Amino acid sequence: MIDVERLLILREVSRHGSKAAAARALQLSEPTVAHHLRALERRAGVPLTVRAGRVTRLTPTGQALLQHADAIAASLEDAERCLHRHSDLQVGHLRIAAFTSFCATVLPRPLAQFASTYPGVEIGLEETETDPALDLLRGGAADLVIGFSDSATPPPEDLPTTPLGRDEYLAILPETHPLASRAVIDMGALADERWISGCIRCRTHLVTHAEEAGFVPNIAFVTEDYIAAQRLIAEGLGVALLTRMALDASPAIPGIVAIPTRPDTYRDIFLALPRDAAPAAEAFASLLVTGL
């Protein structure tokens, strides 16, 4: 295969009329330019340049190669401009995967700010839970993930992550429950309750927290819709652990109370990027970290 760098050197010799002038333009030594030209001529099997007095001109074969060199130079310049546009976020894409309550509460404002600042960047969002979101990131179908973790489900070890804050879990009870007036509820006091739980990480958190309190929860209802969970609780069908963010993301549901647990528990919200993150993803990550 013909060496692209040598083709571009041939192009500079044609443009400047001598090896010495081409060397100055390329910031190379003249012997280096001469070496590359000889190597290119060996590859071609015929002379590519000829001296005409003090001027170096291209032979017919050299002229034929020059057309390709011009095309390559134009393509490289276009690639350079494209790279700068992406680096400056004049163009690009940002595909976010984030869990439901974050999408409903925290995400809209910084996302709107980013869209206003970088109108040339195409923005996409997939609302999904943490584990599927991380799979999208690893597979290249997402550029940035906002997920959550706790002691039972730690953050990924194979991806760079940045903490975004903590979100407290609360016990959600019907307002008619005998324990509904308490300021704090011991988890053990809920051992005989029927439980409502959500995504895999939420269920894992519930099971771990319950086992630490000495019981295995009876999970009778599974729904990832936290509004549905609250309505089930309001009807006296069970109790749940929901986070403050999940409660903030839903309209006020009459007939329920939210009470801190003892011991208190939290989920840690994190941002994850691939190791070769796109400029748009890095810019949005910076906006999130500084804005929260």
Side-chain angles (χ1 to χ4, degrees), residues 55-119:
V55 178
T56 301
R57 301 189 186 280
L58 301 190
T59 66
T61 304
Q63 289 288 347
L65 283 179
L66 179 61
Q67 297 178 24
H68 296 284
D70 286 339
I72 290 170
S75 180
L76 289 174
E77 289 167 4
D78 185 58
E80 188 75 20
R81 286 191 295 270
C82 179
L83 182 61
H84 283 304
R85 288 197 302 271
H86 277 269
S87 298
D88 297 339
L89 298 183
Q90 298 175 38
V91 296
H93 57 74
L94 174 63
R95 299 164 300 176
I96 300 170
F99 62 93
T100 303
S101 54
F102 193 92
C103 290
T105 56
V106 180
L107 186 59
R109 186 179 298 274
L111 194 56
Q113 181 181 345
F114 183 88
S116 175
T117 305
Y118 305 109

Side-chain angles (χ1 to χ4, degrees), residues 134-210:
L134 292 171
D135 289 339
L136 290 174
L137 188 65
R138 294 184 182 103
D143 302 305
L144 180 150
V145 160
I146 299 151
F148 64 87
S149 63
D150 55 30
S151 58
T153 53
E157 296 182 353
D158 60 323
L159 295 167
T161 60
T162 302
L164 294 179
R166 308 192 85 188
D167 190 17
E168 184 182 13
Y169 280 95
L170 302 172
I172 314 300
L173 280 63
E175 63 181 6
T176 57
H177 194 283
L179 303 178
S181 61
R182 293 194 180 183
V184 180
I185 293 180
D186 289 316
M187 274 296 290
L190 301 173
D192 296 328
E193 298 292 336
R194 187 164 48 200
W195 285 86
I196 302 164
S197 191
C199 70
I200 293 175
R201 287 191 173 226
C202 296
R203 291 200 298 276
T204 302
H205 178 89
L206 169 60
V207 170
T208 300
H209 197 33

Side-chain angles (χ1 to χ4, degrees), residues 12-37:
E12 290 303 308
V13 170
S14 175
R15 292 177 65 193
H16 295 281
S18 72
K19 297 172 186 175
R24 287 193 296 271
L26 293 168
Q27 298 183 337
L28 298 173
S29 67
E30 186 174 351
T32 297
V33 169
H35 165 76
H36 283 296
L37 285 179

